[in-house]
Amino acid sequence: MKAPNNIYRKNFTLITAFLVVITVSLVIAVIISYNLTTKYVENEFASAKIEVLEQTSKPYNDFFQLKIPEITSYQGFLDSASAANYAGTVFKTYPFVQRILFYDLQIGSPEAQKPFADTKGISVKAIYQYKPKHGTVRGVKDMIWANGDDFREMALKLSNFISVADTTRLPTQDEIFHTFYNVNPDKISYLNIPRREDIKIYQSILKNRNSKAYYKQNMMTFLLDAKLLKVKNTHPELYQQVSIQPVVYDPLDIEGGRKVTEAALTGAFSNFKLYFSSTNEHLQQEVDRRFLPTGAVILLIYFFMVLISWLIYRNLKINLKIFKLQYDFINNFTHEFKTPVSVIKIAGSNLRGDAELSERQRRHYGKILDEEADKLNDLMNKLLSFTQLENRSISLNREEINLPQFVEGYINTFKIKYPDFKLSYEVDDIGTFNTDPVLLGSIFQNLMENAYKYSHPGKKEMSIRIHAERKNAVFAFSDKGIGMAKNEQGEVFKKFYRIENQYNQNGSVGLGLAFCKELANFMGGDITVTSKINEGSTFIVTLPFEN
């Protein structure tokens, strides 16, 4: 049996090596994927700030691109009341706007206010200031308080634009931005955009200084506070804190174990930035959270590979066990055939010999031939019956039997065959039983043969007890033989399985108990065993009563 064992050890080594390889691969995959996840989180910490910046700046961009240009829709005819209504909608929607200055302008009027004169024909008629939840203030005092530089700069831009404007086309976006917008830190000034027809009139008025006509223009200056811009942290998993800080903000006492980054605001808030900070523990938690699905997939793949390895190992073990059982079966079966054949051959040679044989010798050789032929026939019948049972090619021939007589008949036969075999029986509550007597007899014969074979000399005993249990007849065969280990009790009913002991060196092919199992199952019942080493075994056959 060295070949199967060597094959088993070699294959076991290969499977162990395979498990080591996939385990090392698992560790490497976990380390690499964890490092990649850490690197990905670090890169996202540096890049996701753009999305936070866009979401935070969105109200300002809407205000700049949509709300401010609404002034042009009034075509210069805003007054203090309509300007107040407009300012109210601005304050309600955009809380970062703190004050609005409304300049009621006129082009070509000789009645320019003194503080804002000398602006090439563009003058201020009045200035109004609006604040959230406050009234308006109007008058010369406000004109003095207002920043004249804003007006002068916008008036100069408008005057230069009018003087060179091409009225055959619409102004470009670049011309509009550079002429009608003035963006400074925390402040935006805007002039309404005149129509091409208006520009033609403005050009003629500015060329003719003696003209008494004038036209209205509107200008608004919005004073902003970046601190009131609402921060929208769309990635709280990356950024614990996001604040608006001056561009020059650079704390020297940054706490250890923190990671920071920043993104500059644009437009009127260009003197501020978004300042992002997170602790290393916070980012580590995010790394662990993102790595969890990847790690779970890696572990799932690993367990799947381990399962495949186990299935390969199990199938290999089963196949090798079957190979060993078949190998033993062939050896034992060959021996079982070889012994009677050899004996028959010797007896036949003696009968054919030239020497005269006495009557006693002829009878002796005849008896030998008869007994050995019976052994061969019994072995062949057992194999044939086993095959027929497995293929269900035989039928169950039930007849009513008297159990006490049936059992006593087998006991008497075995007492004659084995005089040293002590047999006893007990039948409780059952007189007759409807079953196939041939099949039941095969079970009796195999179990009684095993009890005699696997018992120590001087302890060859068996007691048979039969009783009714619910709708079944229970046959208990108890001996005081060598017994068997617990792990072998479930294996003994398998075909070709043999327990390794001194009683199994010769004369067993591992079919007896398997044959009993097949017989019991074929008859609608079952067989089990309980056993202790050197104390004996009890085989329990359960067969149903025929309805």
Side-chain angles (χ1 to χ4, degrees), residues 110-165:
E111 301 175 0
Q113 300 289 342
K114 290 182 179 180
F116 302 105
D118 194 20
T119 50
K120 298 185 178 182
I122 302 174
S123 60
V124 177
K125 183 178 179 182
I127 300 176
Y128 300 88
Q129 178 182 236
Y130 303 98
K131 292 182 180 180
K133 298 182 181 180
H134 291 279
T136 62
V137 181
R138 174 187 178 185
V140 176
K141 182 178 180 181
D142 290 329
M143 294 176 65
I144 295 173
W145 174 85
N147 190 343
D149 292 337
D150 292 333
F151 164 70
R152 292 189 183 93
E153 188 172 354
M154 295 297 290
L156 184 60
K157 285 184 176 183
L158 179 60
S159 178
N160 292 336
F161 175 77
I162 292 173
S163 63
V164 297

Side-chain angles (χ1 to χ4, degrees), residues 95-99 186-187 222-230 244 268-269 272:
F96 52 84
V97 180
Q98 288 299 285
R99 284 187 294 130
D186 300 326
K187 183 168 56 177
F222 303 89
L223 302 175
L224 314 177
D225 185 355
K227 293 288 187 178
L228 298 177
L229 194 64
K230 186 177 181 181
I244 298 175
F269 296 145
F272 287 89

Side-chain angles (χ1 to χ4, degrees), residues 442-456:
S442 296
I443 294 177
F444 269 76
Q445 184 172 351
N446 278 279
L447 292 179
M448 294 170 77
E449 286 279 0
N450 280 353
Y452 184 84
K453 179 178 180 181
Y454 296 103
S455 294
H456 297 295

Side-chain angles (χ1 to χ4, degrees), residues 332-436:
N332 295 325
F333 200 74
T334 302
H335 176 78
E336 286 295 301
F337 267 97
K338 186 176 181 180
T339 301
V341 169
S342 299
V343 173
I344 291 172
K345 187 174 179 64
I346 293 172
S349 298
N350 291 334
L351 289 173
R352 281 198 323 250
D354 296 333
E356 285 193 20
L357 298 176
S358 65
E359 185 67 22
R360 182 183 176 188
Q361 288 176 324
R362 281 197 299 272
R363 288 180 180 177
H364 176 67
Y365 289 135
K367 182 180 178 183
I368 291 174
L369 290 173
D370 188 56
E371 288 177 352
E372 297 304 321
D374 286 342
K375 287 183 181 179
L376 289 175
N377 186 59
D378 182 64
L379 189 59
M380 294 302 298
N381 286 336
K382 186 177 290 186
L383 282 174
L384 181 60
S385 299
F386 203 114
T387 303
Q388 290 174 336
L389 279 173
E390 286 186 325
N391 297 330
R392 294 296 188 265
S393 59
I394 63 174
S395 59
L396 192 62
N397 299 316
R398 293 182 180 274
E399 62 179 74
E400 189 175 81
I401 61 174
N402 185 291
L403 280 177
Q405 294 177 4
F406 181 85
V407 176
E408 191 170 350
Y410 274 93
I411 288 178
N412 292 334
T413 301
F414 269 81
K415 282 182 178 180
I416 296 172
K417 187 175 182 180
Y418 306 114
D420 59 337
F421 196 12
K422 296 180 181 179
L423 295 166
S424 62
Y425 76 95
E426 180 182 352
V427 180
D428 299 332
D429 304 327
I430 304 178
T432 60
F433 183 56
N434 201 355
T435 188
D436 190 319

